[in-house]
Structures are given as C-alpha cells and as structure tokens.
Amino acid sequence: MFEIGLVVASLILLIFSLYILQAKYRSQRSQQKFLAQLCLQLEQQKIERQALDLGTVPQEFAPLYHTLDELLKALPASAGKDKLTGLVNRVGLKRALTSMMPLTQGTLVLIDIYRFRYVNDLFGFVFGDILLKQFAERLNSLSLSPRLIARLNGDEFCLYYEQALTEEQLIHLRGRLQVPFSIKNTPVSVKLQIGCVHLQEHHADTSQMLRRVDLALKKARHSRSAIAYYAENDDIQQLRELRIIDSLPKGLQRNQVYMVYQAKQDIATGRCFQVEALMRWEHDELGVISPGEFIPLAEYAGMIDLVSQWALDQVLAQQAKWRAAGIQLCVAVNLSTRDLDSETLPQEIAARLAHYKLPPESLMIEITESTLMADLTKAVETLDKIRALGVRLAIDDFGTGHSSLAYLKHLPVNEVKIDKAFLKDLEQDKPSEYILEASINIAKKLGYEVTVEGIETPEIREILVDMGVDTLQGMYYAKPMRAAELEMNWARLHNAM
C-alpha cells in the first residue's frame, strides 16, 4: 500500500507539472496539443491501466513522457483489489464492467450488512475485519455464482450476474448469506439489505448502473425492506432530493422556510401555556415541501446542524418578541438524532438563551422516541445536561417506535407526547382504548405530564380528558399559525376556560 501511495503521489506531482508546462508553452500549438492529449490519457488511467500511446513526442518532453510511462507500468495489479478481502474494489469493478460494455442482460446486486458498525463497536475492528473476510469467502462459495464480486466500501458488496435473478433467487441468496458466522468461538448473526437492478430493463453506462443499484439499496434502507428494486421514477425522485438538498441553505436565507406555531391546551385551566414550533417550506419551484421529506435529507447531507441552529434562533428570537409584548408561554422545538450526538449541544442552548435574555423554562426540546433509542446512554447523558439548565424536555411521537414503556423510567424528561396513531378507531375499538389508558396511567405514575396530539373531534377530546391527560394538541383546538396570527388569537387561546 505504501508503494502504491508513492507511485500515485509521484503521478500527481507530474500531472501538476504538466499543467504548469501547458501554461508555459501555450503559445506553441504543437506542445500544447501534446500536453492536452497526455493529460487526457492520464485521466483515463483512473479506469483503464493502459500504456501511453501518443505517437510523436516533442523532444523537450521525452524525459517526462518516459518517466510517466514507467510509473504507470509500476502500478501493481492490486490497485484494483481490496486489500482486506482480496475481492475487486470499486475501481476494479468499474474497470471490469466498462470492459464488458454494453451490458444489456443480467442483474446487478448491492448488499449492505445492516448496522455493521455495531460489530466494530462491540467487538473491535479486528473482529469486524474477520467478519468481512468470512463474508467475502461466503460470496465466493455461492452455488449461484456471480460473474463479478466486489467490495465497494466498509460493509457494501456488489455482485454482477449474467442472468436475470428472480425474487425467489434473491431471497435464497440473502438467506444463504445470513447464516450465522462463527468468529473466535462467538456466533455472529447479520442482517442484510439488498438493492437490485435488472439490466435488461435498465441498462446504461457503468457509472449510471452503479448509481441506480445504489438508489435501489437506499430504497431498501428507507422502507426497511429486505430487498428493493430500481424503478424508472427513482431517478426523478433522486433529482428532486438533490434539488431539495441544494436549495435548502438558500431556502433558509430567503425565508422560504419559516415557522408556524400550534397551541396546546392545558386541560386543568382550558388555557394555552405552550406552543409547538413546526417548520414549513414553500419552495419557489417545487411548492410546499413537508418537513417529513426535507429533514431526513438534511440529516443525510450533513446539514441538520444548520437547520437546527436556524430553528432554535427563529424560535428564541420570536420568544423574545412575545415576552416583550407580554405573551408568556413555553415554545417546544424538535431536535434530531444528529443534534443529540453533539457534545456541545447543552452549551449552545445555554448560550442562545443568554443571547436572547430568555429564562430556560421558556424553551422545551422535543426528541422523537426513535432518536432516543438510537444511542440511549449517550442521549440520556446529553438530556441530563440540557435539563440541568432548566430547559423542559419531552418525548415526541411516543409509542410509535420500539422503546415501549420499559425505558421510560430512564429518561430525564418532563413530558410524554403520545402519538395520534393511538387515536385511530379509538371510539370503536376497546383494546385500543385500554392500551392508551394504560400508557397514560403508567406515564403519570412515573411523574411525567402527558400530552396527546392529533385531537380532531370533541368526542375524542372528552375521552382523553376522562383518562386524565394533562395537555391536548390538535386541529380541534388550534391549527398551526404564523407568529402574527397566533398573536391575534392569543387572548382567546390564553383566556379560554
């Protein structure tokens, strides 16, 4: 690997020298043409390792040309191989697929070892490397043998079959690869997700094919499916997603993204003491974009910090205006998994509260249940620090994830928000009513306030009041409103009984 690094570094320096020479000799057409052709061929070496062949070489460039040619010849064949598993790597796969073009038959399969990083976290990187080696060996021993096998990155493997695989064959393939491994006398089970492209229907150039199989795998991840297939409109969806990601910073700057506030009703008094801040985006070309669409994309693109900081600033700036106008309330804002990963989040919240001269109890942070369960220990540590500031905390969408009530006693929160999914068929379905009432009772006995969201009828409201819910939120009480509209309705919301 060190030798490869030296060769590649030498190539980079020589290519840089070429561009300097190109500028130096730009007035001389023959030299410039030669240098342009040489640069083009060197770029091609990223895919195909071929000898340089430029015909006549100007005398002044002969030493440089021959040095480059020798360096290219010195590149070992392992440059297209994965050192750990011995499989073809991404460069080698591209090279092999390109040499077989056009590919109008067969199946491209992309396999992901689900949550492989937990193997490294639990057992260490040596253990993880052994698992990857054994997985590669299993791929090589498949009875349904692929033409090409490649390791693309840490936990992704790509297979090319010359025949069109049926769904039954893919299910069998997945089952064969998921048989538990034995590593250092420890049984290790893996779960696989698969993306698939049938080339007879969706053949293209190498880069396009690899992008499409990656889209199929992404579809499997998002839908939590075992196997997903590329479809024609996936390209359209990806272009939309790329456009959303690209225009999000501009949307924040140009106020296309804005906050609305939905009032919550305190059952004991009938008044409003809290509102939840909700993001909205009116894109100038794509129209209204739901937070359910652009927030996951912001997380994927590494921009969630930008969005969360913007949201906190918007909410706290508005809070300062309301307090100056005599409107006293607590505003809840949602934060994401990535936000909780930040060790400086408590300090950032404290600094913002000080900047806007706001008491900590004027802010509530809502965290979804699935966010908490991603890394419970770390989440609790961060939430403890935030609560120590005096900021209120709530679990949002409780009951829709996988934590159940078992983890509730560990969470340093003030409030549990029960998801509107519990209200479906509540009036006609007694088991749903019993489950909801039991959840409310347990949360209250543990000392938490309980809010139920999604209230749309007076009948549902009365059932929840009888169950002892503390706070209600939903269209029956108040719709989400811009700040100015909330101010106009504040007297009615705050003074209602």
Side-chain angles (χ1 to χ4, degrees), residues 183 192 296 369 384 432 459:
I183 302 174
L192 305 180
E369 180 186 335
D384 273 330
S432 295
E459 292 78 14

Side-chain angles (χ1 to χ4, degrees), residues 50-89:
Q50 298 174 345
L52 292 175
D53 182 16
L54 291 178
T56 304
V57 180
Q59 185 177 356
E60 60 269 35
F61 296 135
L64 174 64
Y65 178 83
H66 292 301
T67 301
L68 284 170
D69 200 29
E70 290 301 315
L71 282 169
L72 288 171
K73 290 176 183 177
L75 278 175
S78 60
K81 294 276 188 178
D82 175 54
K83 186 177 180 181
L84 178 66
T85 64
L87 298 176
V88 172
N89 61 18

